Amino acid sequence: QKEVEQNSGPLSVPEGAIASLNCTYSDRGSQSFFWYRQYSGKSPELIMFIYSNGDKEDGRFTAQLNKASQYVSLLIRDSQPSDSATYLCAVGGSNYQLIWGAGTKLIIKP
Amino acid sequence: NAGVTQTPKFQVLKTGQSMTLQCAQDMNHNSMYWYRQDPGMGLRLIYYSASEGTTDKGEVPNGYNVSRLNKREFSLRLESAAPSQTSVYFCASDTLGGEAFFGQGTRLTVV
């Protein structure tokens, strides 16, 4: 059974600080890695994707991938109250089917 | 640009009733998906269609059927609704390995 694990939270971070969200996966053949943000009552929307080991930066967001450790993370710098949401990690295997984590609820405190 | 359009947004069914959830995408994506989302369990794949004319079971297909009507449309049918099917349902589409786009969701309650 292919699995994607996330800490359910809630993760509480002060406004302006760095929020660090983590995800581990079980399938060593995984090829693609996605972070989605989901506001309460809304549908998921893509924040970042990463395919290669290392870091990928996009504005305040940085995705980090370590395939040897089967670990992917999302850093949010200068956290804002509008970043409060549930963050879903999704991992694509060799057939590109996505396996989803249960999500981490992030709360940014003003 | 509508993206993925999913109807209805809300539905209440009595146990044993049937219904069809409709989904259409205008992004020319080959792949379409139906997920359910329950509290604390993330997104679970019900059925998917990798291309027009094909459908396959996902993680939780029991109690559901699907139809890929054409490249744009992918419907999900509950033949005899059960309380265990109370959930939020999302339709999504993507290009294989690419970004998935989601519909706005259907909140289904079976009483």
Side-chain angles (χ1 to χ4, degrees):
Chain A
Q1 179 89 8
K2 299 174 184 176
E3 295 181 342
V4 175
E5 301 286 342
Q6 294 182 256
N7 189 320
S8 61
L11 175 64
S12 183
V13 174
E15 183 176 358
I18 296 175
S20 178
L21 303 162
N22 304 313
C23 172
T24 59
Y25 60 94
S26 63
D27 182 9
R28 285 197 173 273
S30 298
Q31 303 282 341
S32 52
F33 307 86
F34 302 85
W35 282 100
Y36 284 76
R37 178 177 63 200
Q38 186 176 26
Y39 292 116
S40 180
K42 301 295 186 181
S43 55
E45 56 179 346
L46 184 70
I47 298 296
M48 294 280 294
F49 64 88
I50 186 167
Y51 298 139
S52 303
N53 272 331
D55 294 0
K56 180 180 179 181
E57 187 175 320
D58 184 2
R60 295 187 297 113
F61 298 93
T62 299
Q64 300 175 316
L65 174 62
N66 184 326
K67 288 188 176 180
S69 299
Q70 296 175 246
Y71 177 94
V72 58
S73 64
L74 178 71
L75 302 178
I76 306 174
R77 290 183 299 280
D78 189 23
S79 297
Q80 302 296 310
S82 59
D83 295 326
S84 297
T86 295
Y87 288 79
L88 303 172
C89 174
V91 176
S94 55
N95 64 356
Y96 298 104
Q97 284 295 317
L98 291 181
I99 305 297
W100 294 82
T104 299
K105 184 174 184 178
L106 176 65
I107 299 172
I108 306 300
K109 292 192 171 182
Chain B
N1 185 0
V4 180
T5 303
Q6 183 180 339
T7 58
K9 290 190 69 175
F10 300 95
Q11 184 72 47
V12 178
L13 290 178
K14 293 182 179 179
T15 297
Q17 286 186 318
S18 63
M19 77 162 296
T20 300
L21 282 67
Q22 306 286 354
C23 176
Q25 53 93 8
D26 63 2
M27 294 173 286
N28 202 36
H29 288 159
N30 286 320
S31 301
M32 298 186 72
Y33 309 83
W34 277 105
Y35 292 96
R36 60 178 288 173
Q37 187 175 38
D38 301 295
M41 298 191 73
L43 289 164
R44 291 187 293 169
L45 183 63
I46 304 171
Y47 270 93
Y48 67 99
S49 172
S51 62
E52 185 179 353
T54 67
T55 61
D56 287 286
K57 296 179 180 180
E59 179 186 358
V60 288
N62 291 343
Y64 305 95
N65 285 299
V66 291
S67 295
R68 183 74 182 267
L69 304 172
N70 47 55
K71 190 171 186 178
R72 292 185 64 249
E73 298 173 286
F74 189 39
S75 63
L76 178 72
R77 183 162 177 83
L78 286 71
E79 291 290 352
S80 179
S84 61
Q85 294 178 305
T86 294
S87 188
V88 180
Y89 292 84
F90 287 103
C91 176
S93 71
D94 67 17
T95 54
L96 206 59
E99 176 182 358
F101 292 84
F102 287 82
Q104 69 267 46
T106 298
R107 189 172 296 274
L108 175 67
T109 301
V110 183
V111 297

